[in-house]
Amino acid sequence: MTTVRVAGVGLTHFGTHPERTSRDLFAEAGLTALEDAGVDRDDVEAVYYGNFMGELSEHQGHQGPLAAEALGVQAPATRYESACASSGVALRQAVRDVRNGEADLAVVGGAERMNNLSTAESTEALAIAADDLYEVRAGVTFPGAYAMMATAYFDQFGGTREDLAHIAVKNHENALVNEHAQYQREISVEEALDSPPVADPLHLYDACPVTDGASVVVLASESYADEHDLDAGVAITGTGQGGDMMALHDREDVATSPAATAAAEEAYADAGVAAGDVDVAEVHDCFTIAEVLATESLGFFETGEGVTAARDGVTTQRGDLPVNLSGGLKAKGHPVGATGTSQVAELTKLLQGDHVNSKYVPDARVGVAHNAGGTVASAVVHVMEAVE
Amino acid sequence: MTTVRVAGVGLTHFGTHPERTSRDLFAEAGLTALEDAGVDRDDVEAVYYGNFMGELSEHQGHQGPLAAEALGVQAPATRYESACASSGVALRQAVRDVRNGEADLAVVGGAERMNNLSTAESTEALAIAADDLYEVRAGVTFPGAYAMMATAYFDQFGGTREDLAHIAVKNHENALVNEHAQYQREISVEEALDSPPVADPLHLYDACPVTDGASVVVLASESYADEHDLDAGVAITGTGQGGDMMALHDREDVATSPAATAAAEEAYADAGVAAGDVDVAEVHDCFTIAEVLATESLGFFETGEGVTAARDGVTTQRGDLPVNLSGGLKAKGHPVGATGTSQVAELTKLLQGDHVNSKYVPDARVGVAHNAGGTVASAVVHVMEAVE
């Protein structure tokens, strides 16, 4: 088994791109990543592509071949769909294939175009990540589903809207200098609290925006990286995936996310690290409450303590364990199929010391990426380590 | 690297199931396969699920967790989408993971519900397997695309509508006794020729039907199979995948399918067999011309000779190399996301000697499955061998 190196990364600006298709966005991110890696695209042996709502937003399925074509790569290409964890599961498969010798050089990424839909259409499109028969038809949308999770959490463990607002404020602060971020502006706790209600207890500033964008990472086997003298000092050393019942009402408890806990445990064991070894993390904060659940699943805090940690500033730039230094889904944006590999792109730069926010984690050696699908019916966790 | 055994298979009836969802169909096929395998579902470590048009036909994405849930399996589950090759690519990934020690027991399958759509809607939904921007908006549908391929083929290599009709007649003959088949009735060459034109030179009987159905195969590592004394005498010994430009107009030649040729070459090399070793094959005959292209890509016949072989009956029940003894997509049916693993289920029974059409290949040791996406912009080939 070889070590899997991140050879290059690429991101588009996350935001509103009314004139651009997802394949166009993917081409930009992918060509950036290939150039960053300094590899010959003819060497690429496979393309792993994540996309969630292409059928609904662009009337396009079978996007694997289009993703390869967008990069001028002639290689087998497959599209992975696991709702908001689409490029996370694509990455997991690529990591496995590279370390098992099935490919020496692989392109993994995702793209999503969402803003060409109306708000009603994108809400409806996002809803298909929940159980259509038993949740969506009963009126559940994602703000509603996460509001139920927040309500259950507050009920079981305590916490307030103000605690959650600290997460929104933190992630906006982190995004301020990230040129890829959809929102480069600070917000205050008061603004977050005063923002319009969406689904009680969640208000507008508890939610991530609707985003167009793409992200790509180039993976290389250690031998390929050595042979071609690549600058690839970050390795993906652990991968884990978990699953849960799709509908919230089928779960024993909705104030925790066991699929993510399982994914984290598998990824840590795979890498041979513990939660306490982690220096920096990118987690799936589609809503502020989701970041609380994520930090608990990752073992950073005990169950029920994630909200306290958020209130106390543990995960801020100046805290002990900075979370979402990119700005997270909340402020950097959430182009659904692109989010998983976007987290890995950000962590790569953070661990290499060349991220705009690297100064907050100057000695970081271990990073973790947490990507969730739906109401965490799917979860993927990856451990990354600086190896050079 | 361990050998990957097929421990069990399950199929629904392929046809029209107006009252059943894809998850319901998947549950039937999956529970049949688990029972056939005689394994404990708690041992299943991963679910690989293929589906193409769930977003459009059932307003449902994120189907991985639903697939696991349908079987009562608690394991990570991922949905693969590669148009008509969706469960074929899911299978490839499962085969790699099992042989590389990532899982000892895996469930792979697919399901599709299509007949709840009107003919116009399903034609439109199928079209998204082509390039929406440059083909679909110009009026291309799949019968039209394959008609262009047939026209190019006839132009370069010769052949007639009557030659293609022999393929339809053969596959209907094979399906006659297959209880899973959508059409269990014989047709004549004259009937095929007299059927209504769809897109010249293709007529109605050159095309596969619109089908609801599901298929599942259970894969086990050799060690798991031995330890649990499973009856698993068929192994998947080779896997290959190829990719091509999405749109026909971007290819140098549309009378051949290089993605399938690449997939076949990789799969043969992987298994250490040659085309001449193959005793029986299931190929992707979404249209009669597609079976011609498939048999050439698989190396059974020289380029341009597939149509001659069809005319001469080489691939019939009584021929030297029976193709699509199940009835193929043409007569057994084509529930898009279920087709890839359905081929493997049929071949498993053929190689085990317990298929209703096994008598035509009593000594078969090597089988090949060929699954294609779109106009063969994606292709997956698997080699299967009787090992006990």
Side-chain angles (χ1 to χ4, degrees), chain B residues 43 90 111 122 156 158 166 174 179 188 213 236 251 257 262 270 277 284 333 340 349 358 363 365 370 373 387:
Chain B
D43 283 358
S122 61
Q156 284 184 51
H166 284 289
N174 289 338
E179 60 173 354
S188 65
I236 300 182
R251 302 186 199 160
S257 44
D270 195 27
D277 298 324
H284 199 93
K349 293 197 234 174
S358 280
D363 304 316
R365 305 290 301 169
H370 161 286
V387 289

Side-chain angles (χ1 to χ4, degrees), chain B residues 1 99 236-239 264-278 366 368 382-385:
Chain B
M1 211 168 79
R99 74 182 181 185
I236 300 182
T237 55
T239 177
E265 285 170 359
E266 184 187 353
Y268 289 146
D270 195 27
V273 304
D277 298 324
V278 177
V366 180
V368 162
H382 285 93
V383 175
M384 303 171 64
E385 296 182 65

Side-chain angles (χ1 to χ4, degrees), chain A residues 23 59-62 69 76 78-81 93 96-97 100 102 124 128-132 241 246 378, chain B residues 23 59-62 69 76 78-81 93 96-97 100 102 128-132 241 246 378:
Chain A
R23 70 177 85 175
H59 195 252
Q60 186 66 66
H62 200 201
E69 195 174 307
T78 299
R79 179 249 186 145
Y80 296 75
E81 185 274 309
Q93 210 63 70
R96 284 179 156 190
D97 284 354
N100 289 320
E102 302 283 6
E124 183 84 356
I128 66 168
D131 190 322
D132 181 66
Q241 184 176 355
M246 185 81 149
S378 299
Chain B
R23 70 178 84 176
H59 195 252
Q60 186 67 66
H62 201 199
E69 195 174 307
T78 299
R79 180 250 187 144
Y80 296 75
E81 186 274 309
Q93 211 64 69
R96 284 179 156 189
D97 284 353
N100 289 321
E102 303 282 6
I128 66 168
D131 190 322
D132 181 65
Q241 184 177 355
M246 185 81 149
S378 297

Side-chain angles (χ1 to χ4, degrees), chain B residues 161-177 182-196 203-209 285 288 316-318 327 329-332:
Chain B
R161 281 192 56 223
E162 187 172 335
D163 297 336
L164 297 183
H166 284 289
I167 291 173
V169 169
K170 167 182 76 68
N171 290 347
H172 272 267
E173 185 182 18
N174 289 338
L176 193 59
V177 291
Q182 186 158 2
Y183 297 135
Q184 289 181 258
R185 67 179 181 85
E186 285 185 288
I187 62 166
S188 65
V189 169
E190 293 66 36
E191 280 178 280
L193 290 172
D194 290 346
S195 66
H203 284 229
L204 187 62
Y205 282 19
D206 288 297
C208 68
D285 60 322
T288 49
T316 62
Q317 291 173 351
R318 297 155 300 280
L329 285 62
K330 173 70 196 86
K332 184 189 169 194

Side-chain angles (χ1 to χ4, degrees), chain A residues 1 21 23 46 48 52-53 55-56 58-66 69 74-84 89 92-94 96-97 99-100 102-103 124-125 127-134 136-137 239 241-247 250 266 373-378, chain B residues 1 21 23 46 48 52-53 55-56 58-66 69 74-84 89 92-94 96-97 99-100 102-103 124-125 127-134 136-137 239 241-247 250 266 373-378:
Chain A
M1 209 167 81
T21 57
R23 70 177 85 175
Y48 302 77
F52 174 45
M53 60 170 70
E55 289 84 354
L56 301 179
E58 297 188 295
H59 195 252
Q60 186 66 66
H62 200 201
Q63 287 192 46
L66 286 177
E69 195 174 307
Q74 289 189 317
T78 299
R79 179 249 186 145
Y80 296 75
E81 185 274 309
S82 197
C84 312
V89 297
R92 173 173 168 80
Q93 210 63 70
R96 284 179 156 190
D97 284 354
R99 73 182 182 186
N100 289 320
E102 302 283 6
E124 183 84 356
I128 66 168
D131 190 322
D132 181 66
L133 286 183
Y134 300 108
V136 185
R137 292 187 192 191
T239 176
Q241 184 176 355
D244 205 340
M245 303 295 277
M246 185 81 149
D250 284 326
E266 184 188 353
T375 49
V376 205
S378 299
Chain B
M1 211 168 79
T21 58
R23 70 178 84 176
Y48 302 76
F52 174 46
M53 59 170 71
E55 288 85 354
L56 301 178
E58 296 188 296
H59 195 252
Q60 186 67 66
H62 201 199
Q63 288 191 45
L66 286 177
E69 195 174 307
Q74 288 187 317
T78 299
R79 180 250 187 144
Y80 296 75
E81 186 274 309
S82 196
C84 312
V89 297
R92 172 174 169 79
Q93 211 64 69
R96 284 179 156 189
D97 284 353
R99 74 182 181 185
N100 289 321
E102 303 282 6
E124 183 84 357
I128 66 168
D131 190 322
D132 181 65
L133 286 183
Y134 300 108
V136 184
R137 293 188 191 190
T239 177
Q241 184 177 355
D244 205 340
M245 302 296 277
M246 185 81 149
D250 284 326
E266 184 187 353
T375 49
V376 206
S378 297

Side-chain angles (χ1 to χ4, degrees), chain B residues 273-299:
Chain B
V273 304
D277 298 324
V278 177
D279 300 308
V280 60
E282 290 284 316
V283 310
H284 199 93
D285 60 322
C286 47
F287 297 91
T288 49
I289 184 65
E291 181 166 316
V292 173
L293 298 180
T295 55
E296 295 179 7
S297 288
L298 290 168

